[in-house]
Amino acid sequence: LLVRDLLCYTQVSRFEKPEVAADAVESLRGSLENLSGLIQEAGADITSDSLPAVRVHGTHLQQLFQNLIGNAIKYRSKDRRPEVHVSADRRGDEWVFSISDNGIGIAPEYRETIFGLFKRLHTNDEYSGTGVGLALCWRIVDRYHGRIWVESEPGRGSTFRFTIPV
């Protein structure tokens, strides 16, 4: 698992900028297919607004959705059904994608560090993982000259946002 994640991380910069826009709806659909077992097991409710086509590789967009939605389900609250909502808004010369959840949230002091390679807030006994997923998201978004950040309230959920230039 760690080797696969690191391979994905190192290969992000190998792709040339795409000539055509990727359909975010298709990328989301692919990520949800890959996460179908986890979604079903958790009883997660995943919704989305209409999503644009953006000038990124569809594989990269799918990896972003898969990591962020997968984390939203993994770090769910024990006392409520996981709900995840995906949306995008155009703001000036960029698209701002949002993945919002009702999970356990993230304390303010960790909101910057979580995007580092191998940075984990929980032990493997609590939540499994390699500490590569959010670093991969950061690397993908940076590759397209965008930004990624999280807005969160512990106990109430998180909204991960990333931008992709138009």
Side-chain angles (χ1 to χ4, degrees):
L1 190 60
L2 178 60
V3 172
R4 186 201 67 210
D5 287 352
L6 286 173
L7 186 60
C8 288
Y9 181 83
T10 59
Q11 290 180 336
V12 167
S13 58
R14 289 193 174 165
F15 286 87
E16 293 296 319
K17 295 258 172 120
E19 297 295 319
V20 296
D23 182 352
V25 172
E26 286 299 315
S27 294
L28 177 60
R29 186 174 294 127
S31 70
L32 295 179
E33 285 174 16
N34 290 341
L35 293 168
S36 63
L38 179 63
I39 291 167
Q40 193 169 29
E41 173 191 314
D45 184 23
I46 314 293
T47 58
S48 68
D49 293 341
S50 63
L51 300 173
V54 289
R55 290 185 57 100
V56 302
H57 286 280
T59 301
H60 287 160
L61 196 53
Q62 184 171 325
Q63 286 173 315
L64 284 164
F65 288 142
Q66 192 164 318
N67 276 299
L68 296 172
I69 294 168
N71 279 355
I73 297 169
K74 183 192 311 185
Y75 297 104
R76 64 188 177 267
S77 173
K78 290 179 173 44
D79 60 354
R80 60 184 172 263
R81 180 179 179 196
E83 296 176 0
V84 182
H85 185 72
V86 181
S87 62
D89 297 302
R90 185 167 176 171
R91 296 185 191 156
D93 59 351
E94 63 188 8
W95 283 100
V96 180
F97 286 82
S98 301
I99 293 86
S100 300
D101 67 57
N102 65 343
I104 62 172
I106 300 164
E109 62 266 28
Y110 300 116
R111 292 187 192 145
E112 297 294 319
T113 61
I114 59 172
F115 295 101
L117 192 57
F118 304 122
K119 299 297 181 186
R120 302 205 54 229
L121 301 182
H122 305 276
T123 66
N124 263 333
D125 291 339
E126 295 174 296
Y127 299 96
S128 64
T130 61
V132 177
L134 289 178
L136 175 64
C137 291
W138 184 89
R139 189 162 180 155
I140 290 170
V141 170
D142 184 64
R143 168 78 174 86
Y144 295 98
H145 307 290
R147 301 175 337 263
I148 187 168
W149 69 98
V150 63
E151 298 162 5
S152 186
E153 188 176 335
R156 298 189 56 117
S158 301
T159 298
F160 281 84
R161 299 187 199 279
F162 64 89
T163 63
I164 300 291
V166 172

